[in-house]
Amino acid sequence: MKIQVIGFGKVGKSLIKLIEEKEETLELMEIPIDVVSISDSKGTAIDRDGLELDEVVKQTKKGLCDMSEYVPNYSAIECVKNLQSDAVVELTPSTAS
């Protein structure tokens, strides 16, 4: 399953860490998950074959902008329109009080 993640705050980072930690178990259950994009407020990291999650996890303190797959100013909306995936997980902050 190819997924796109929108939001790389606390919840987004936790989701990526969880998928990375459970990757072998998911594959054994025949539920492979490839995260093909992760968008933050400044751009998007993209890999049509799936980002290397262990590398993404290393970026959790610095953010995604140091990754070679990172495209500055490429919005999540543009990515969803242009990149094929099975699901989009939206994890941006809520403005509701």
Side-chain angles (χ1 to χ4, degrees):
M1 173 188 293
K2 293 183 181 232
I3 66 168
Q4 296 185 54
V5 176
I6 302 173
F8 198 59
K10 187 173 185 171
V11 176
K13 290 173 184 174
S14 295
L15 175 64
I16 296 301
K17 286 179 184 177
L18 182 63
I19 293 170
E20 196 263 336
E21 288 171 7
K22 301 296 183 184
E23 192 168 22
E24 285 183 36
T25 302
L26 290 166
E27 297 226 2
L28 287 172
M29 297 171 62
E30 298 182 7
I31 309 172
I33 294 179
D34 293 315
V35 178
V36 293
S37 72
I38 305 171
S39 299
D40 63 15
S41 61
K42 297 179 178 83
T44 303
I46 303 167
D47 186 328
R48 294 179 193 286
D49 297 320
L51 293 161
E52 294 295 328
L53 296 186
D54 57 334
E55 292 299 316
V56 174
V57 168
K58 291 177 187 174
Q59 301 297 321
T60 56
K61 294 216 189 306
K62 296 187 279 182
L64 300 169
C65 61
D66 289 337
M67 296 181 66
S68 61
E69 299 90 351
Y70 191 74
V71 181
N73 302 313
Y74 191 65
S75 74
I77 291 174
E78 288 177 276
C79 190
V80 169
K81 287 180 184 177
N82 297 316
L83 183 64
Q84 185 176 352
S85 66
D86 300 302
V88 176
V89 181
E90 195 274 330
L91 301 168
T92 58
S94 171
T95 57
S97 24

PDB file of all heavy atoms in Angstrom, residues 14-40:
ATOM      1  N   SER A  14       5.605  10.458  14.811  1.00  0.00           N
ATOM      2  CA  SER A  14       5.282   9.234  15.552  1.00  0.00           C
ATOM      3  C   SER A  14       4.742   8.156  14.627  1.00  0.00           C
ATOM      4  O   SER A  14       5.087   6.973  14.768  1.00  0.00           O
ATOM      5  CB  SER A  14       4.273   9.525  16.666  1.00  0.00           C
ATOM      6  OG  SER A  14       4.842  10.385  17.621  1.00  0.00           O
ATOM      7  N   LEU A  15       3.909   8.536  13.661  1.00  0.00           N
ATOM      8  CA  LEU A  15       3.381   7.572  12.702  1.00  0.00           C
ATOM      9  C   LEU A  15       4.515   6.957  11.876  1.00  0.00           C
ATOM     10  O   LEU A  15       4.569   5.732  11.697  1.00  0.00           O
ATOM     11  CB  LEU A  15       2.355   8.220  11.777  1.00  0.00           C
ATOM     12  CG  LEU A  15       1.835   7.321  10.653  1.00  0.00           C
ATOM     13  CD1 LEU A  15       1.069   6.123  11.219  1.00  0.00           C
ATOM     14  CD2 LEU A  15       0.978   8.113   9.693  1.00  0.00           C
ATOM     15  N   ILE A  16       5.416   7.792  11.394  1.00  0.00           N
ATOM     16  CA  ILE A  16       6.538   7.292  10.587  1.00  0.00           C
ATOM     17  C   ILE A  16       7.400   6.335  11.411  1.00  0.00           C
ATOM     18  O   ILE A  16       7.782   5.260  10.938  1.00  0.00           O
ATOM     19  CB  ILE A  16       7.383   8.461  10.031  1.00  0.00           C
ATOM     20  CG1 ILE A  16       6.552   9.319   9.076  1.00  0.00           C
ATOM     21  CG2 ILE A  16       8.657   7.941   9.370  1.00  0.00           C
ATOM     22  CD1 ILE A  16       5.986   8.589   7.880  1.00  0.00           C
ATOM     23  N   LYS A  17       7.679   6.691  12.655  1.00  0.00           N
ATOM     24  CA  LYS A  17       8.467   5.811  13.528  1.00  0.00           C
ATOM     25  C   LYS A  17       7.760   4.475  13.741  1.00  0.00           C
ATOM     26  O   LYS A  17       8.383   3.416  13.707  1.00  0.00           O
ATOM     27  CB  LYS A  17       8.727   6.477  14.883  1.00  0.00           C
ATOM     28  CG  LYS A  17       9.754   7.564  14.844  1.00  0.00           C
ATOM     29  CD  LYS A  17       9.923   8.178  16.229  1.00  0.00           C
ATOM     30  CE  LYS A  17      10.889   9.348  16.192  1.00  0.00           C
ATOM     31  NZ  LYS A  17      11.014   9.992  17.506  1.00  0.00           N
ATOM     32  N   LEU A  18       6.455   4.513  13.950  1.00  0.00           N
ATOM     33  CA  LEU A  18       5.683   3.292  14.166  1.00  0.00           C
ATOM     34  C   LEU A  18       5.698   2.395  12.928  1.00  0.00           C
ATOM     35  O   LEU A  18       5.915   1.183  13.045  1.00  0.00           O
ATOM     36  CB  LEU A  18       4.241   3.644  14.550  1.00  0.00           C
ATOM     37  CG  LEU A  18       3.326   2.479  14.865  1.00  0.00           C
ATOM     38  CD1 LEU A  18       3.824   1.704  16.082  1.00  0.00           C
ATOM     39  CD2 LEU A  18       1.913   2.980  15.098  1.00  0.00           C
ATOM     40  N   ILE A  19       5.487   2.968  11.763  1.00  0.00           N
ATOM     41  CA  ILE A  19       5.519   2.175  10.525  1.00  0.00           C
ATOM     42  C   ILE A  19       6.905   1.562  10.343  1.00  0.00           C
ATOM     43  O   ILE A  19       7.036   0.391   9.986  1.00  0.00           O
ATOM     44  CB  ILE A  19       5.131   3.034   9.297  1.00  0.00           C
ATOM     45  CG1 ILE A  19       3.662   3.452   9.387  1.00  0.00           C
ATOM     46  CG2 ILE A  19       5.381   2.268   7.996  1.00  0.00           C
ATOM     47  CD1 ILE A  19       3.259   4.492   8.355  1.00  0.00           C
ATOM     48  N   GLU A  20       7.938   2.349  10.606  1.00  0.00           N
ATOM     49  CA  GLU A  20       9.313   1.857  10.455  1.00  0.00           C
ATOM     50  C   GLU A  20       9.596   0.719  11.434  1.00  0.00           C
ATOM     51  O   GLU A  20      10.170  -0.306  11.077  1.00  0.00           O
ATOM     52  CB  GLU A  20      10.305   3.006  10.655  1.00  0.00           C
ATOM     53  CG  GLU A  20      11.703   2.707  10.159  1.00  0.00           C
ATOM     54  CD  GLU A  20      12.632   2.240  11.254  1.00  0.00           C
ATOM     55  OE1 GLU A  20      12.394   2.547  12.431  1.00  0.00           O
ATOM     56  OE2 GLU A  20      13.600   1.546  10.929  1.00  0.00           O
ATOM     57  N   GLU A  21       9.141   0.865  12.681  1.00  0.00           N
ATOM     58  CA  GLU A  21       9.356  -0.172  13.699  1.00  0.00           C
ATOM     59  C   GLU A  21       8.608  -1.460  13.372  1.00  0.00           C
ATOM     60  O   GLU A  21       9.081  -2.556  13.663  1.00  0.00           O
ATOM     61  CB  GLU A  21       8.907   0.338  15.067  1.00  0.00           C
ATOM     62  CG  GLU A  21       9.814   1.383  15.661  1.00  0.00           C
ATOM     63  CD  GLU A  21       9.219   2.027  16.913  1.00  0.00           C
ATOM     64  OE1 GLU A  21       8.154   1.565  17.406  1.00  0.00           O
ATOM     65  OE2 GLU A  21       9.816   3.002  17.404  1.00  0.00           O
ATOM     66  N   LYS A  22       7.442  -1.341  12.776  1.00  0.00           N
ATOM     67  CA  LYS A  22       6.581  -2.503  12.504  1.00  0.00           C
ATOM     68  C   LYS A  22       6.683  -3.009  11.071  1.00  0.00           C
ATOM     69  O   LYS A  22       5.908  -3.870  10.662  1.00  0.00           O
ATOM     70  CB  LYS A  22       5.116  -2.155  12.817  1.00  0.00           C
ATOM     71  CG  LYS A  22       4.873  -1.723  14.244  1.00  0.00           C
ATOM     72  CD  LYS A  22       5.164  -2.842  15.214  1.00  0.00           C
ATOM     73  CE  LYS A  22       4.860  -2.429  16.634  1.00  0.00           C
ATOM     74  NZ  LYS A  22       5.218  -3.444  17.605  1.00  0.00           N
ATOM     75  N   GLU A  23       7.644  -2.505  10.315  1.00  0.00           N
ATOM     76  CA  GLU A  23       7.757  -2.840   8.895  1.00  0.00           C
ATOM     77  C   GLU A  23       7.840  -4.351   8.646  1.00  0.00           C
ATOM     78  O   GLU A  23       7.131  -4.890   7.791  1.00  0.00           O
ATOM     79  CB  GLU A  23       8.978  -2.138   8.301  1.00  0.00           C
ATOM     80  CG  GLU A  23       9.040  -2.179   6.813  1.00  0.00           C
ATOM     81  CD  GLU A  23      10.094  -1.239   6.263  1.00  0.00           C
ATOM     82  OE1 GLU A  23      11.038  -0.860   6.983  1.00  0.00           O
ATOM     83  OE2 GLU A  23       9.956  -0.877   5.089  1.00  0.00           O
ATOM     84  N   GLU A  24       8.675  -5.058   9.386  1.00  0.00           N
ATOM     85  CA  GLU A  24       8.807  -6.504   9.186  1.00  0.00           C
ATOM     86  C   GLU A  24       7.513  -7.241   9.503  1.00  0.00           C
ATOM     87  O   GLU A  24       7.098  -8.138   8.763  1.00  0.00           O
ATOM     88  CB  GLU A  24       9.942  -7.053  10.055  1.00  0.00           C
ATOM     89  CG  GLU A  24      11.315  -6.723   9.525  1.00  0.00           C
ATOM     90  CD  GLU A  24      12.417  -7.348  10.365  1.00  0.00           C
ATOM     91  OE1 GLU A  24      12.231  -8.482  10.856  1.00  0.00           O
ATOM     92  OE2 GLU A  24      13.456  -6.690  10.537  1.00  0.00           O
ATOM     93  N   THR A  25       6.867  -6.867  10.584  1.00  0.00           N
ATOM     94  CA  THR A  25       5.600  -7.498  10.966  1.00  0.00           C
ATOM     95  C   THR A  25       4.543  -7.271   9.891  1.00  0.00           C
ATOM     96  O   THR A  25       3.818  -8.198   9.516  1.00  0.00           O
ATOM     97  CB  THR A  25       5.101  -6.940  12.313  1.00  0.00           C
ATOM     98  OG1 THR A  25       6.104  -7.161  13.298  1.00  0.00           O
ATOM     99  CG2 THR A  25       3.801  -7.587  12.741  1.00  0.00           C
ATOM    100  N   LEU A  26       4.457  -6.051   9.391  1.00  0.00           N
ATOM    101  CA  LEU A  26       3.479  -5.734   8.341  1.00  0.00           C
ATOM    102  C   LEU A  26       3.751  -6.552   7.072  1.00  0.00           C
ATOM    103  O   LEU A  26       2.816  -7.038   6.444  1.00  0.00           O
ATOM    104  CB  LEU A  26       3.511  -4.235   8.025  1.00  0.00           C
ATOM    105  CG  LEU A  26       2.967  -3.321   9.125  1.00  0.00           C
ATOM    106  CD1 LEU A  26       3.365  -1.876   8.861  1.00  0.00           C
ATOM    107  CD2 LEU A  26       1.464  -3.459   9.237  1.00  0.00           C
ATOM    108  N   GLU A  27       5.016  -6.717   6.724  1.00  0.00           N
ATOM    109  CA  GLU A  27       5.352  -7.512   5.538  1.00  0.00           C
ATOM    110  C   GLU A  27       4.990  -8.978   5.742  1.00  0.00           C
ATOM    111  O   GLU A  27       4.484  -9.624   4.827  1.00  0.00           O
ATOM    112  CB  GLU A  27       6.835  -7.350   5.201  1.00  0.00           C
ATOM    113  CG  GLU A  27       7.145  -5.915   4.838  1.00  0.00           C
ATOM    114  CD  GLU A  27       7.981  -5.762   3.609  1.00  0.00           C
ATOM    115  OE1 GLU A  27       8.324  -6.761   2.978  1.00  0.00           O
ATOM    116  OE2 GLU A  27       8.260  -4.603   3.278  1.00  0.00           O
ATOM    117  N   LEU A  28       5.229  -9.510   6.947  1.00  0.00           N
ATOM    118  CA  LEU A  28       4.850 -10.898   7.240  1.00  0.00           C
ATOM    119  C   LEU A  28       3.337 -11.098   7.138  1.00  0.00           C
ATOM    120  O   LEU A  28       2.867 -12.168   6.771  1.00  0.00           O
ATOM    121  CB  LEU A  28       5.331 -11.310   8.635  1.00  0.00           C
ATOM    122  CG  LEU A  28       6.834 -11.551   8.782  1.00  0.00           C
ATOM    123  CD1 LEU A  28       7.194 -11.750  10.249  1.00  0.00           C
ATOM    124  CD2 LEU A  28       7.265 -12.758   7.959  1.00  0.00           C
ATOM    125  N   MET A  29       2.589 -10.053   7.471  1.00  0.00           N
ATOM    126  CA  MET A  29       1.131 -10.104   7.388  1.00  0.00           C
ATOM    127  C   MET A  29       0.638  -9.768   5.973  1.00  0.00           C
ATOM    128  O   MET A  29      -0.558  -9.645   5.754  1.00  0.00           O
ATOM    129  CB  MET A  29       0.526  -9.129   8.397  1.00  0.00           C
ATOM    130  CG  MET A  29       0.845  -9.476   9.836  1.00  0.00           C
ATOM    131  SD  MET A  29       0.340  -8.183  11.004  1.00  0.00           S
ATOM    132  CE  MET A  29      -1.416  -8.144  10.743  1.00  0.00           C
ATOM    133  N   GLU A  30       1.596  -9.612   5.049  1.00  0.00           N
ATOM    134  CA  GLU A  30       1.297  -9.247   3.669  1.00  0.00           C
ATOM    135  C   GLU A  30       0.580  -7.906   3.557  1.00  0.00           C
ATOM    136  O   GLU A  30      -0.356  -7.738   2.762  1.00  0.00           O
ATOM    137  CB  GLU A  30       0.545 -10.368   2.962  1.00  0.00           C
ATOM    138  CG  GLU A  30       1.361 -11.645   2.879  1.00  0.00           C
ATOM    139  CD  GLU A  30       0.673 -12.768   2.136  1.00  0.00           C
ATOM    140  OE1 GLU A  30      -0.393 -12.542   1.549  1.00  0.00           O
ATOM    141  OE2 GLU A  30       1.237 -13.878   2.147  1.00  0.00           O
ATOM    142  N   ILE A  31       1.031  -6.959   4.392  1.00  0.00           N
ATOM    143  CA  ILE A  31       0.524  -5.593   4.351  1.00  0.00           C
ATOM    144  C   ILE A  31       1.729  -4.651   4.222  1.00  0.00           C
ATOM    145  O   ILE A  31       2.061  -3.917   5.140  1.00  0.00           O
ATOM    146  CB  ILE A  31      -0.269  -5.236   5.632  1.00  0.00           C
ATOM    147  CG1 ILE A  31      -1.319  -6.282   5.945  1.00  0.00           C
ATOM    148  CG2 ILE A  31      -0.911  -3.854   5.500  1.00  0.00           C
ATOM    149  CD1 ILE A  31      -2.000  -6.108   7.280  1.00  0.00           C
ATOM    150  N   PRO A  32       2.410  -4.714   3.085  1.00  0.00           N
ATOM    151  CA  PRO A  32       3.557  -3.811   2.939  1.00  0.00           C
ATOM    152  C   PRO A  32       3.083  -2.369   2.798  1.00  0.00           C
ATOM    153  O   PRO A  32       2.117  -2.092   2.084  1.00  0.00           O
ATOM    154  CB  PRO A  32       4.234  -4.307   1.657  1.00  0.00           C
ATOM    155  CG  PRO A  32       3.134  -4.955   0.880  1.00  0.00           C
ATOM    156  CD  PRO A  32       2.184  -5.526   1.906  1.00  0.00           C
ATOM    157  N   ILE A  33       3.731  -1.482   3.508  1.00  0.00           N
ATOM    158  CA  ILE A  33       3.396  -0.060   3.421  1.00  0.00           C
ATOM    159  C   ILE A  33       4.610   0.691   2.916  1.00  0.00           C
ATOM    160  O   ILE A  33       5.695   0.587   3.485  1.00  0.00           O
ATOM    161  CB  ILE A  33       2.951   0.505   4.792  1.00  0.00           C
ATOM    162  CG1 ILE A  33       1.637  -0.148   5.211  1.00  0.00           C
ATOM    163  CG2 ILE A  33       2.811   2.027   4.719  1.00  0.00           C
ATOM    164  CD1 ILE A  33       1.108   0.312   6.543  1.00  0.00           C
ATOM    165  N   ASP A  34       4.411   1.422   1.833  1.00  0.00           N
ATOM    166  CA  ASP A  34       5.447   2.296   1.295  1.00  0.00           C
ATOM    167  C   ASP A  34       4.975   3.733   1.454  1.00  0.00           C
ATOM    168  O   ASP A  34       3.928   4.107   0.900  1.00  0.00           O
ATOM    169  CB  ASP A  34       5.701   2.009  -0.186  1.00  0.00           C
ATOM    170  CG  ASP A  34       6.314   0.640  -0.421  1.00  0.00           C
ATOM    171  OD1 ASP A  34       7.247   0.284   0.321  1.00  0.00           O
ATOM    172  OD2 ASP A  34       5.862  -0.057  -1.337  1.00  0.00           O
ATOM    173  N   VAL A  35       5.719   4.505   2.222  1.00  0.00           N
ATOM    174  CA  VAL A  35       5.411   5.932   2.367  1.00  0.00           C
ATOM    175  C   VAL A  35       6.088   6.628   1.191  1.00  0.00           C
ATOM    176  O   VAL A  35       7.315   6.701   1.121  1.00  0.00           O
ATOM    177  CB  VAL A  35       5.911   6.477   3.716  1.00  0.00           C
ATOM    178  CG1 VAL A  35       5.622   7.969   3.827  1.00  0.00           C
ATOM    179  CG2 VAL A  35       5.265   5.724   4.877  1.00  0.00           C
ATOM    180  N   VAL A  36       5.278   7.103   0.247  1.00  0.00           N
ATOM    181  CA  VAL A  36       5.821   7.671  -0.986  1.00  0.00           C
ATOM    182  C   VAL A  36       6.036   9.179  -0.905  1.00  0.00           C
ATOM    183  O   VAL A  36       6.759   9.746  -1.724  1.00  0.00           O
ATOM    184  CB  VAL A  36       4.952   7.309  -2.209  1.00  0.00           C
ATOM    185  CG1 VAL A  36       5.017   5.811  -2.478  1.00  0.00           C
ATOM    186  CG2 VAL A  36       3.522   7.777  -2.055  1.00  0.00           C
ATOM    187  N   SER A  37       5.415   9.814   0.096  1.00  0.00           N
ATOM    188  CA  SER A  37       5.673  11.239   0.287  1.00  0.00           C
ATOM    189  C   SER A  37       5.341  11.639   1.721  1.00  0.00           C
ATOM    190  O   SER A  37       4.470  11.044   2.358  1.00  0.00           O
ATOM    191  CB  SER A  37       4.861  12.100  -0.689  1.00  0.00           C
ATOM    192  OG  SER A  37       3.495  12.116  -0.340  1.00  0.00           O
ATOM    193  N   ILE A  38       6.078  12.638   2.167  1.00  0.00           N
ATOM    194  CA  ILE A  38       5.789  13.280   3.456  1.00  0.00           C
ATOM    195  C   ILE A  38       5.895  14.774   3.226  1.00  0.00           C
ATOM    196  O   ILE A  38       6.935  15.271   2.782  1.00  0.00           O
ATOM    197  CB  ILE A  38       6.786  12.860   4.560  1.00  0.00           C
ATOM    198  CG1 ILE A  38       6.831  11.344   4.717  1.00  0.00           C
ATOM    199  CG2 ILE A  38       6.416  13.533   5.885  1.00  0.00           C
ATOM    200  CD1 ILE A  38       7.942  10.853   5.633  1.00  0.00           C
ATOM    201  N   SER A  39       4.812  15.483   3.515  1.00  0.00           N
ATOM    202  CA  SER A  39       4.791  16.930   3.313  1.00  0.00           C
ATOM    203  C   SER A  39       4.823  17.643   4.650  1.00  0.00           C
ATOM    204  O   SER A  39       4.149  17.234   5.600  1.00  0.00           O
ATOM    205  CB  SER A  39       3.527  17.348   2.557  1.00  0.00           C
ATOM    206  OG  SER A  39       3.476  16.742   1.293  1.00  0.00           O
ATOM    207  N   ASP A  40       5.612  18.720   4.698  1.00  0.00           N
ATOM    208  CA  ASP A  40       5.557  19.611   5.856  1.00  0.00           C
ATOM    209  C   ASP A  40       5.156  20.992   5.335  1.00  0.00           C
ATOM    210  O   ASP A  40       4.772  21.128   4.171  1.00  0.00           O
ATOM    211  CB  ASP A  40       6.888  19.609   6.629  1.00  0.00           C
ATOM    212  CG  ASP A  40       8.074  20.133   5.837  1.00  0.00           C
ATOM    213  OD1 ASP A  40       7.875  20.770   4.769  1.00  0.00           O
ATOM    214  OD2 ASP A  40       9.216  19.919   6.288  1.00  0.00           O
TER     215      ASP A  40
END
